[in-house]
Amino acid sequence: MSAALDPTRTTAPFDVESIRADFPILHQDINGKPLAYLDNAASSQHPQIVIDSMSHYYERDHANVHRGVHTLSQRATDAFEAARENVRRFINARSTKEVIFVRGTTEAVNLVAASFARPGLRPGDEILISWLEHHANIVPWQLLAGQTGAVLKVIPITPAGEVDFAAFEQLIGPRTKLLALAHVSNALGTIVPVERFIAVARKHGVPVLLDGAQAIPHSKIDVQALGCDFYCFSGHKLCGPTGIGVLYGREAILEAMPPWQGGGDMILSVSFKGTTYNQLPWKFEAGTPDIAGVIGLGTAVQYLEGIGMDRIAAYEHTLLEYATERLTTIPGLRIIGTAPRKAAVISFALEGIHPHDIGTILDVEGVAIRTGHHCAMPVMEFYGVPATARASFAFYNTRAEVDRLVAALLKARDYLT
Amino acid sequence: MTLMDLKDLYRDVIVDHNRKPRNFGPMVAPDAHADGHNPLCGDRLTIYVSLDGDKVKEAKFEGSGCAISVASASLLTEAVKGKSVAEVDKLYGEVHELLTKRDTAPSPGLGKLAALSGVHEFPARVKCASLCWHTLNAALHPPQAAVAAPISTE
Ligand SMILES: Cc1ncc(COP(=O)(O)O)c(C=O)c1O
């Protein structure tokens, strides 16, 4: 077994330097300074083992999956389905039938909108989301509302950036057909106490979709314990490749849903008299899938399990606390999103300096952060800012990188104020 | 690879015009105006122009944006004052060259606008500097007018 998947890591003290050694991309200079990659909420980086698993597949095992009796096709299929089992275990789904591979969170939400929500929606029915959502959990519902006459209702947020639970209890009602909530906000880092929301939704018989894109890299996710009906996430936010993601759905619900896209792989038999669809999960996986992406994702979740999601969460929390403390020492810096429970994401504004200038100055210092609206324009509107700067941390970041962020921000102040 | 140097981007002139934008604010009854928006970074600005015949009498702007976009707009309002529309068009072309082409010496006619010559090293920032110029261009040549007006043969 490779060192990167060594299960003993789980008990050893958190050794960030040995973890960093697994990530080739981190060891380079940007503009003559060592890279400090603090844009993990946009996309995280890949350990060598993930890259190797995909190279190995291309070098040795590539063929199409679920067809053909030859050896390569069998190897590719085995690797593909083994990755599905890894993902099932990672999120504690009951069965691999509940793990549908999609392109990412965005596609997962669109799949649910088209195949689950749309067939039953009547004019005046309501879909409930929050003000915190990423555009991926807003626009599909707006499209659906436009197509069906359903109404999109939005739970407000508090100035700290928490979803207003009391307002939610007022908004949910007999016309609510679905609650679609971010588990963690990408723009602010707020951890939404989704368990409380799900409990209320249950009482009303309302199904729940969680956008887990930002939650899954930072904490142990157990879809059974959460009790949600759908959980959506993207591989590239948890050290896996881009272009691959997962829709978890409860089996009974997925069984009852019509297929989404039609084509190869999602059928058992096709004739012009009628077509029989394949079983779960393949019913929702039409066409040749992103086989390498699935294999990379399967390796990524194994890698994360090797470190331990609880240890990752604990380490990232110490980074968040340290960064919050250090950033608040910078004159004129305002942290946007101050919920008591946050993932390691810090959005901020620096008085008199536009986020775009911050982004450029930090880049010159080798510090990569995101600036802009973070695909959450309603959140920006709520705080009355066109954009924020956002530093987002992963378990391979260090306190020294936080210090470099702070130093670069002080430099930005010197330049521009 | 040459290293990016912040001093090339944030020259003193740029920093100064960002801190104290010139000709900033609304204009009552402008002869031409247009809105510019850069959705990626949220920059928004409006350019107003008053004309005296064919000449720009005054240009003003308002809005919000990064240092580069504010300074560029501020410099623009100074640079176009007193110029004919044809001269402004020529300047628009020169600024575009300055922002996008490497290793070209700024044309002498650019004056203070030459301070923007560091922008091309920062490709992500070219749009910030050019937003005001595209907006001015739209104000002076609104699409319907361009179709309606005969092409000058001069
Ligand atoms: C909260 C949240 N939801 C959805 C998405 C969309 O993910 P993807 O672009 O991978 O489909 C993101 C990614 O930016 C996100 O942060």
Side-chain angles (χ1 to χ4, degrees):
Chain A
M1 176 176 272
S2 112
L5 286 181
D6 180 356
T8 58
R9 257 210 186 155
T10 325
T11 47
F14 198 90
D15 178 0
V16 68
E17 285 312 321
S18 95
I19 283 169
R20 289 178 70 79
D22 296 337
F23 289 79
I25 204 170
L26 298 179
H27 308 284
Q28 64 176 305
D29 286 354
I30 299 291
N31 202 43
K33 316 260 168 52
L35 167 66
Y37 186 76
L38 306 180
D39 192 19
N40 295 285
S43 203
S44 57
Q45 300 297 353
H46 309 91
Q48 187 67 49
I49 192 170
V50 167
I51 301 166
D52 288 348
S53 71
M54 294 169 69
S55 305
H56 177 85
Y57 159 74
Y58 280 126
E59 286 166 9
R60 304 291 305 168
D61 298 341
H62 169 71
N64 214 327
V65 289
H66 305 138
R67 42 200 108 176
V69 293
H70 62 77
T71 303
L72 291 190
S73 176
Q74 195 54 50
R75 277 197 216 148
T77 304
D78 289 349
F80 184 83
E81 293 302 332
R84 196 189 308 273
E85 168 57 22
N86 283 354
V87 172
R88 183 210 64 75
R89 191 180 61 244
F90 189 66
I91 61 173
N92 194 30
R94 290 163 211 83
S95 136
T96 49
K97 290 180 181 171
E98 299 182 322
V99 176
I100 316 283
F101 288 121
V102 291
R103 274 200 301 130
T105 310
T106 304
E107 190 167 90
V109 176
N110 279 279
L111 192 164
V112 173
S115 181
F116 173 73
R118 186 173 180 172
L121 278 182
R122 303 282 165 268
D125 285 349
E126 294 168 5
I127 309 253
L128 195 51
I129 63 171
S130 90
W131 208 280
L132 274 186
E133 304 309 318
H134 184 283
H135 298 163
N137 200 27
I138 300 175
V139 185
W141 309 119
Q142 286 178 326
L143 287 170
L144 191 61
Q147 290 155 357
T148 61
V151 181
L152 187 59
K153 295 264 173 167
V154 184
I155 311 164
I157 54 177
T158 66
E162 293 178 282
V163 182
D164 187 332
F165 188 74
F168 159 67
E169 288 186 296
Q170 296 299 312
L171 280 166
I172 195 166
R175 301 233 62 174
T176 312
K177 294 295 178 238
L178 182 73
L179 171 65
L181 269 190
H183 194 175
V184 166
S185 152
N186 69 309
L188 306 178
T190 312
I191 299 175
V192 179
V194 289
E195 296 83 351
R196 293 180 70 200
F197 288 79
I198 292 171
V200 172
R202 281 277 158 276
K203 273 193 229 139
H204 287 82
V206 172
V208 181
L209 172 145
L210 295 180
D211 169 356
Q214 295 295 339
I216 203 154
H218 300 294
S219 55
K220 170 82 190 125
I221 298 302
D222 179 335
V223 289
Q224 293 189 59
L226 283 170
C228 56
D229 299 281
F230 298 104
Y231 200 92
C232 312
F233 61 96
S234 303
H236 69 98
K237 312 254 190 204
L238 73 163
C239 304
T242 54
I244 193 70
V246 171
L247 170 66
Y248 155 82
R250 278 206 294 121
E251 185 176 343
I253 293 187
L254 292 174
E255 280 295 357
M257 283 160 57
W260 182 43
Q261 294 177 331
D265 249 17
M266 55 75 70
I267 50 86
L268 287 180
S269 75
V270 175
S271 98
F272 292 115
K273 292 196 211 78
T275 290
T276 322
Y277 305 129
N278 204 341
Q279 300 159 356
L280 290 174
W282 306 290
K283 179 172 109 179
F284 291 103
E285 294 178 358
T288 300
D290 179 358
I291 306 166
V294 166
I295 289 170
L297 174 58
T299 310
V301 299
Q302 231 180 335
Y303 173 80
L304 295 172
E305 279 174 333
I307 299 171
M309 288 311 295
D310 290 338
R311 298 173 74 233
I312 285 176
Y315 176 76
E316 287 182 356
H317 190 71
T318 62
L319 270 185
L320 172 71
E321 286 190 324
Y322 180 65
T324 305
E325 183 191 310
R326 290 296 319 271
L327 286 172
T328 39
T329 62
I330 298 177
L333 188 141
R334 173 167 73 109
I335 292 180
I336 297 178
T338 49
R341 288 183 67 225
K342 278 178 62 170
V345 172
I346 305 182
S347 248
F348 59 91
L350 201 47
E351 198 180 354
I353 308 184
H354 193 278
H356 217 169
D357 296 308
I358 298 177
T360 295
I361 295 175
L362 266 53
D363 183 46
V364 170
E365 295 298 307
V367 180
I369 61 156
R370 170 88 188 264
T371 62
H373 55 59
H374 317 295
C375 295
M377 290 175 87
V379 175
M380 300 296 110
E381 192 187 319
F382 178 82
Y383 287 101
V385 292
T388 72
R390 179 188 71 186
S392 54
F393 303 92
F395 55 93
Y396 44 69
N397 290 127
T398 64
R399 289 161 78 96
E401 288 175 317
V402 172
D403 294 340
R404 292 197 34 223
L405 167 69
V406 171
L409 288 169
L410 290 170
K411 188 160 187 174
R413 276 190 85 241
D414 283 350
Y415 259 97
L416 290 177
T417 59
Chain B
M1 193 197 89
T2 56
L3 298 188
M4 296 180 285
D5 189 347
L6 286 176
K7 290 198 190 72
D8 277 348
L9 184 63
Y10 297 111
R11 306 226 170 125
D12 291 345
V13 177
I14 303 282
V15 172
D16 176 54
H17 276 256
N18 174 49
R19 282 196 198 130
K20 290 178 294 202
R22 321 294 198 268
N23 303 307
F24 186 82
M27 183 187 284
V28 225
D31 296 308
H33 69 105
D35 297 323
H37 182 209
N38 184 344
L40 210 62
C41 38
D43 290 357
R44 271 177 198 286
L45 53 84
T46 305
I47 304 254
Y48 305 96
V49 183
S50 64
L51 295 168
D52 183 2
D54 178 44
K55 279 202 165 31
V56 173
K57 197 160 72 186
E58 201 190 4
K60 296 189 77 176
F61 81 105
E62 55 180 350
S64 70
C66 63
I68 304 301
S69 82
V70 169
S72 180
S74 172
L75 288 164
L76 171 150
T77 58
E78 288 190 338
V80 300
K81 194 169 174 166
K83 289 203 165 59
S84 70
V85 172
E87 286 167 336
V88 171
D89 289 348
K90 180 158 169 281
L91 198 56
Y92 172 76
E94 286 173 358
V95 171
H96 185 73
E97 291 252 310
L98 178 75
L99 294 178
T100 53
K101 297 239 166 75
R102 268 174 193 277
D103 305 325
T104 42
S107 114
L110 283 169
K112 268 203 227 170
L113 291 169
L116 293 167
S117 66
V119 174
H120 72 79
E121 278 179 57
F122 297 80
R125 307 305 300 275
V126 170
K127 277 199 200 135
C128 311
S130 58
L131 176 66
C132 58
W133 286 94
H134 293 307
T135 310
L136 174 71
N137 191 49
L140 293 177
H141 306 284
Q144 62 280 27
V147 174
I151 293 164
S152 163
T153 51
E154 206 180 272

